[in-house]
Amino acid sequence: MLAQQLVNGIISGATYALFALGFTLMFGVLNVVNLTYGVYFSTGALIALYATRHFGWPILLALPVAAIATGLIAVVIDGLLLTPLRRKKAPELASLMVTLGATLLLYSLMTAFIGTDIQRFPPAAIDPSAIEIGAVRITRSQMLIVGTAFAMVALLLALMRGTRLGLAIRALAENPDVARLMGVDVTLVTFFVSFVSGTLGAAAGILIGLNYNAIQPYMGEAMMLKGFAVIIIGGLGDIRGALIAGLILGLLEGLTAGYIASTLKDAVGFLLLVLTLWFRPVGLFGRAAAKRA
Amino acid sequence: MLKKLTALAALPLAASIWSAAALAQSKEPVTIGAIEILTGPNNKYGIAIKNGFDLALDSVNKNGGVLGGRPLAIAYEDSAGNKDQAINAARQLIGRSKVPLILGPTLSNEMFAAGPVANERKIPIVGTSTTANGITAIGPYVFRTSLPEADVVPVTLKTAQQKLGIKKVAVMYGNDDAFTKSGYDVMKGALEKLGIETLTTETFGSKDTDFSAQLTKIKSLNPDAIVVSALVEAGSGILLGKKALGFPEKVRVIGGNGLNAPKVMEIAGDAANGTLVGTPWFVGKSDPASEKFVDAYKAKYNMEPDQFAAQAYDTLFIVAKAINDAGAAEPEKIKDALGKVKYTGVMGPFSFTANRDPAETSGVVVIEMHDGKFRQFN
Amino acid sequence: MPAFLDDFLFSYQSLIYSLGINGLLALSMYVVLAIGQLSLGQAAFMGLGAYTSALLTLKVGAPFPIVLLAAMAVPALAALIIGAPTLRLSGVYLALATIGLGEVLRIAFVNSELTGGALGLSGIPEKAGYTIIFGSLALALIAFVLVSRSRIGRAMEAMREDEVAAGMLGVDLPRYRISALVVSAMLAGLAGAFNAHVSSFISPNDYGFDAAVTILSFALLGGIGSPFGPVVGVVILTLLPEVLRPLHDFRLVFNGLIIVIAVLFMPHGLLPWRIGRTGARA
């Protein structure tokens, strides 16, 4: 049982990490807590759902198309809501509030049109059979989640540290005014980061929707609460921190439910969150990696 | 201040008189109230119930209405699943629309809030979907037509024990929801009474999607079955998770009323096969009245009815009968008539106990999920 | 009392009560916003007050004034615990931590036998009435008007406009922040106690994230230039959905839209005037 519980923990931890990546990137670079992120998670899953269901697209086509479409939506939302505030140099809480309002608006609009019934991808979208390694079972969609989470972290870190674009992003994260003086096209880089973050959110929504078969507009909201815990524990803006914090949270939750009591499962994340805020508010690894790397 | 508020109040009042006038045929309609969840996350329950009411209403009015030819009308108020809105709705139906009876609200939680308001004003209030313990204990004006879980779950478990020889089970329930928690309380009592051993009791949140930790633990204990009190979302997730972890096929899920929904099979697919639930009614019930209802419902709404629609459908006939028996649209007389009413509908014979709960439990059937359809198990 | 007035009061009683209760909640949000912080824990503080008061009434049979005091003291304590670490950091941390607080409380209420778990507490006697609810609201308003005219009020305004400058001018930032949060929690707790004692039933899911966001929309619509702003916001957002039925169905859409528009286009809300500052423009 222990081996399976550890695998369970890694899978749900990878789920949290995958979700938190785009969220923490947005915070680290753009310096806003963008609550509409949960909406991208739901939107991506819903777009991919309609593409597979109504146009019969295979998931391998629906996933990138839905993710890119959601990335563009994220750019539009950023342009409408956050760019004006940046121009005005409004306090950071103003941007948190505006995204909070937009989140409520978007969720309730989505439910007004498509309801809150859960839906799933057509069963043919992914082979449901599990692979057995000794006493441990893992399904294809679960492997896909774990693989994608690690691959995305590696890709993002490579982008940030190894490319000119990454340099520009880091400059923006450090100080937008200085970055502008250094010749960085701040507007373009901002949109790029929003795009990447929206794409990541959507991809997470699609993969997680594929695994748990519970797609509905509010799926992002439920995930947000875990997302907060993960990005604070991992350090706001820290990409590697999000992965590790996600895995720690997933493992601790699994072990708590398996060996202590399932009633305490949900409390684990928030206990970790409170401990982090009291003793290490900068997160596990200190200063945000996006700013430091 | 008050004057201004009165003016504000007049607006919706004028609107409701206007729409009522449009509905009226020749005589003044008898308008009863209904509080259901018509918007928001749980509106699927409220809408199924409203559909059931409306279908029955068509039939009542086609056959001469109530009280010698007066059409029956329903004034709907939306509670959105929120107890404050449910209270507000009850107060307005009673004080402003002066309804002699209220149907609903949808959730037990809402009834705990709105029931006392109606009871205080001596207006009968009839829940059609409120299955929690203690509903009718609110007061002498609170009725329900839905069989409480306490009447259904023991039948399900007993049937499973007799037909499958189940001796030891694991229990899972959603502990953050009043409906699933109260379902669990009933399960716990019934399991003890039947002498079935409970190996472990695991909880989850109603919004959870990942149940692998709980299920892995359960699998290691080798139960004969898993007894689950969950709503559709979590219930489907548990069935899928159980399949992913490779439970032996003979380990069935035995569910409470929350799993009694076709949606579970739509989401869980073949992972739902073998799941047992008890129900006061199901869509495949072989009974002429029931089949006629299913056909009429499909014709009007283009989908299959669920038990909530069926319960609402019967309830409206029961209420119409009570209004006729009372001889006047007066709350006190309707209340007395409700206590004595006898009716046979799509769910079978119906009457109220002295405690205003349904008296008949003979209609309970245990059904099994099989390849996307419910079929009779016992 | 004439019959029509009796019917009117009966029909609209819970609506009128909610004007008063929401008014207190909006003011509790105002205190925090007024110093440039954001708390998303107002619903949680309200829930703490509601549960504390309901338990004291139901299980202990404590007199109502004591119940109300306790309903303010317990959330105040929670505010201290959560505020102490986060208020040292940037405003974002308080916002996120207060969301966490709401979740922790929900889990605690759900898992505790004492609080009735998910079934909540029912049969709470109706002990609050028009006098005490609207009396408390009036008192709170008067107190805030007096404070905003004083030195404290000017310091708060300075913090909202430019925290760094305010700090350099000698405003004791940490003390103001924690005091504001504690006062805010007390007001929300009081509102929760009133809510529990007029609606006879409370359950853990009544005090979630949606409730917190609605409270924020009250304050933002009315504006936080003066304590009257949030109350005006409450009156509009509580009564409008009753008058315009379509708004009822899209209540959440509307609340969301108000927050977006308020932040982007009218940062001072509907009531831009400030107490004792007519003439000075923002």
Side-chain angles (χ1 to χ4, degrees), chain B residues 84 87-88 91, chain C residues 9-19:
Chain B
D84 290 320
I87 295 179
N88 213 357
R91 287 184 171 276
Chain C
L9 282 181
F10 180 81
S11 303
Y12 291 98
Q13 180 183 308
S14 60
L15 197 64
I16 300 170
Y17 282 162
S18 58
L19 279 178

Side-chain angles (χ1 to χ4, degrees), chain C residues 78-256:
Chain C
L80 278 176
I81 293 171
I82 194 151
T86 50
L87 287 171
R88 286 178 281 140
L89 309 162
S90 86
V92 170
Y93 282 90
L94 179 67
L96 296 185
T98 46
I99 294 178
L101 174 73
E103 205 39 30
V104 168
L105 280 180
R106 197 182 62 82
I107 294 168
F109 290 151
V110 155
N111 284 313
S112 160
E113 286 290 319
L114 183 67
T115 58
L119 300 178
L121 295 167
S122 53
I124 307 163
E126 192 177 325
K127 286 202 174 176
Y130 293 109
T131 324
I132 189 153
I133 294 176
F134 286 93
S136 309
L137 179 62
L139 268 180
L141 267 175
I142 293 169
F144 282 133
V145 168
L146 291 179
V147 166
S148 62
R149 280 164 175 268
S150 71
R151 229 182 113 241
I152 303 175
R154 285 196 296 279
M156 287 167 71
E157 196 173 313
M159 281 173 76
R160 186 169 75 231
E161 296 302 326
D162 188 340
E163 207 159 57
V164 180
M168 287 194 287
L169 289 172
V171 177
D172 185 350
L173 297 178
R175 231 183 75 203
Y176 272 91
R177 284 185 193 149
I178 196 83
S179 315
L181 189 66
V182 167
V183 169
S184 154
M186 287 166 73
L187 277 176
L190 184 65
F194 289 151
N195 178 252
H197 286 84
V198 299
S199 65
S200 87
F201 169 72
I202 55 174
S203 72
N205 298 325
D206 296 338
Y207 308 103
F209 193 58
D210 280 354
V213 178
T214 305
I215 297 170
L216 177 66
S217 63
F218 293 146
L220 289 184
L221 174 65
I224 50 164
S226 85
F228 294 104
V231 179
V232 171
V234 165
V235 174
I236 295 173
L237 283 181
T238 311
L239 291 186
L240 215 52
E242 288 301 316
V243 184
L244 296 174
R245 289 316 262 185
L247 264 187
H248 212 288
D249 298 348
F250 289 91
R251 211 168 32 94
L252 292 179
V253 178
F254 190 65
N255 287 354

Side-chain angles (χ1 to χ4, degrees), chain A residues 14 35 44 67 121 142 144 222 235 242 277-278:
Chain A
L35 297 176
F121 283 109
Q142 291 169 338
L144 201 57
L277 286 175
W278 269 95

Side-chain angles (χ1 to χ4, degrees), chain B residues 346-358:
Chain B
V346 301
M347 297 196 295
F350 184 89
S351 60
F352 285 107
T353 64
N355 293 326
R356 302 164 308 284
D357 280 322

Side-chain angles (χ1 to χ4, degrees), chain A residues 265-284:
Chain A
K265 183 175 170 233
D266 277 341
V268 172
F270 296 101
L271 190 68
L272 274 184
L273 175 66
V274 171
L275 289 178
T276 310
L277 286 175
W278 269 95
F279 298 109
R280 210 172 155 75
V282 286
L284 287 176

Side-chain angles (χ1 to χ4, degrees), chain B residues 55 257 259-263 265 277-299 302-311 346-347 363 365-376:
Chain B
L55 189 65
N257 206 13
L259 290 191
N260 182 5
K263 187 88 194 168
M265 294 176 277
V277 292
T279 183
W281 179 85
F282 84 108
V283 72
K285 186 176 175 185
S286 53
D287 167 81
S290 177
E291 282 159 12
K292 217 178 115 199
F293 160 68
V294 173
D295 290 342
Y297 192 97
K298 276 191 195 155
N302 202 21
M303 58 178 172
E304 286 200 339
D306 58 13
Q307 54 158 345
F308 297 105
Q311 283 170 332
V346 301
M347 297 196 295
V365 279
V366 178
I367 52 179
E368 174 188 24
M369 298 184 187
H370 184 79
D371 291 344
K373 285 249 178 290
F374 279 121
R375 67 181 185 193
Q376 196 144 346

Side-chain angles (χ1 to χ4, degrees), chain B residues 93-111:
Chain B
L93 285 170
I94 295 167
R96 201 179 70 203
S97 310
K98 306 259 190 272
V99 299
L101 175 139
I102 294 174
L103 298 165
T106 314
L107 304 177
S108 297
N109 260 354
E110 298 174 309
M111 184 59 114

